[in-house]
Structure formats: C-alpha cells, structure tokens
Amino acid sequence: MPHYHIQDNTIYYDFKRSLDLITRNGQTLYGSHFHLYEEDMPIIKKLFAYFIQDQQVAGQEGINLRKGILMIGPVGCGKTALMKLLPSILPAYQRFAIKACRDISFEFQKDGYEVIHRYSKHSFHITPGHKTPKTICLDDLGAESNIKHFGSECNVMAEVILSRYDLFISDRLITHATTNLNAKDIEKLYGQRVRSRLREMMNVIIWPKDSLDKRR
C-alpha cells in the first residue's frame, strides 16, 4: 500500500508508512544500521507536518508554513539526514536541493560575487511570463570560513542569506538551513541583522543539547 493517496487534488499521507519509507531510504543512503529514534519523534512530527503542509498540526506545533526551517542542534544529531530524507516522501516537484555552506564558500573563491547571485536572484525556474522560486537547504551553516576572492574578503553566507531574505519578502523564496551554532554564535559570526532575518524567514527547531550522536 502506498504511503499517500490523492483525493480532490489533496495529498493524504499515512504517517507510519511514510516513516517506514524514510527508514528504507535512509538505509539505502547511509547503510543498514540507519533507523529513526523514538526520542527524535517530536521533531520528526513537526518536520512531517511542515513538509506535507498539514495546517492543523503545524498550527498546533507553532510552525508557519510560509517560512522555511532552521534546524539547530549538536553535531551528529541527525539534522542533515532528516532534511535529505523527509522530502523523499514528497512528489518530485516539491523536493529541493541541499547545498553545503563550505561548498558555496569554495565556489565564491573560484567564481567571485556571481556565486551570491547564483544562490539568490538566480534561484528561480524561469518560464515565459512566470518564475517559480527554487527552495534550497543551506547545510551546516557556520562550518564555512571567510574566503577571499582576489584579496577581497566577503562573508559569503551572510550575503546569500540577506539576498534570499529580500526575495523571501518579494517572491516567497523559501530557504532552509541546518547549523551547530546557537543564536548568539550566529549573531557573532554573521551579525545581528542576519540573525534577525533568519528568525523572520525560518521556523527555528532546536534539538536537545544531549541528543545522541548518530554517527558513532
């Protein structure tokens, strides 16, 4: 039996079967040892409600469906794995790319300021008379460092976030992110303006500090 069905142009999901599919996809991607942890279910349920756009549950969980997701948690807690696996239960047109912030910084070193546009104003599918925003997940925010391009130093991720914020306001461009940083660390690294913009454009989901390191 499939994990969802479509009725009256609405997609209805079977939560248990969806979890089974996520687990199977996780074992394919990460190995047979992969499984979902019971202690993570409160966060998984929030993410599930968000990705399937369940307005009732999202409202109960304080999730704004018009925003993206910012997942804050310790190393190895499963942030990136869930952001890769949960969209796999969705139709292809609802999925999004995940891009490591370190890789974006390396691209800046090679290609310069065009990279900022690449991940902001160029983040649209363009068709005649219409443009569709392309959602992206900025993975491991804070793991990158300031990279120089021909001697010019730029806080690349701060510029990408601020540019995507402007497009979030004007064109509903959605951004997700994962990070090991807390709010104070984000402000120290990127400035108060970026911290404020992140909170305005994303739902903040915080993992417990004592979450298990699933990589061990």
Side-chain angles (χ1 to χ4, degrees):
M1 180 178 178
H3 67 288
Y4 71 85
H5 70 276
I6 301 174
Q7 182 178 335
D8 298 327
N9 294 320
T10 300
I11 302 176
Y12 296 90
Y13 283 85
D14 182 317
F15 182 64
K16 175 63 168 62
R17 292 184 183 278
S18 295
L19 291 182
D20 290 342
L21 177 59
I22 290 168
T23 299
R24 292 198 302 272
N25 289 341
Q27 290 172 347
T28 298
L29 187 61
Y30 296 107
S32 59
H33 63 282
F34 178 88
H35 68 279
L36 299 175
Y37 290 75
E38 186 60 35
E39 58 264 35
D40 296 337
M41 279 301 152
I43 287 177
I44 292 172
K45 288 178 179 178
K46 286 184 181 182
L47 293 171
F48 187 82
Y50 174 84
F51 282 117
I52 70 169
Q53 297 287 283
D54 186 326
Q55 296 183 7
Q56 181 177 356
V57 176
Q60 293 170 353
E61 296 287 352
I63 300 292
N64 186 333
L65 298 178
R66 295 173 62 89
K67 296 183 178 184
I69 295 290
L70 172 61
M71 286 219 284
I72 297 175
V75 173
C77 67
K79 303 182 298 295
T80 299
L82 285 178
M83 290 304 281
K84 287 182 177 179
L85 292 171
L86 271 164
S88 72
I89 69 172
L90 304 176
Y93 70 89
Q94 292 183 342
R95 298 173 191 174
F96 53 83
I98 297 182
K99 189 71 179 182
C101 294
R102 279 175 53 83
D103 289 343
I104 294 175
S105 288
F106 291 141
E107 288 179 30
F108 176 81
Q109 187 178 43
K110 178 176 179 290
D111 299 330
Y113 289 90
E114 170 58 27
V115 170
I116 296 170
H117 299 319
R118 184 179 301 163
Y119 295 102
S120 55
K121 71 178 185 179
H122 294 165
S123 289
F124 293 88
H125 293 291
I126 306 297
T127 56
H130 188 69
K131 64 177 183 179
T132 304
K134 291 193 293 187
T135 300
I136 191 173
C137 178
L138 304 173
D139 188 39
D140 214 1
L141 184 66
E144 80 291 345
S145 58
N146 286 357
I147 300 294
K148 291 185 178 181
H149 176 69
F150 295 113
S152 177
E153 187 169 314
C154 174
N155 194 325
V156 180
M157 295 314 305
E159 295 300 328
V160 168
I161 290 166
L162 292 173
S163 296
R164 290 185 69 90
Y165 169 80
D166 290 340
L167 294 165
F168 165 72
I169 297 298
S170 63
D171 296 278
R172 296 190 63 183
L173 180 67
I174 297 297
T175 307
H176 306 308
T178 71
T179 185
N180 302 328
L181 304 178
N182 60 35
K184 289 183 179 179
D185 292 334
I186 289 173
E187 182 172 336
K188 182 178 180 180
L189 188 57
Y190 300 110
Q192 185 177 13
R193 189 172 175 221
V194 169
R195 175 183 174 178
S196 175
R197 296 295 188 265
L198 284 172
R199 181 166 288 276
E200 188 174 346
M201 65 196 283
M202 299 180 189
N203 298 282
V204 180
I205 296 178
I206 301 177
W207 291 68
K209 292 181 180 179
D210 61 351
S211 295
L212 292 174
D213 184 346
K214 279 83 171 182
R215 297 175 183 174
R216 294 180 180 176

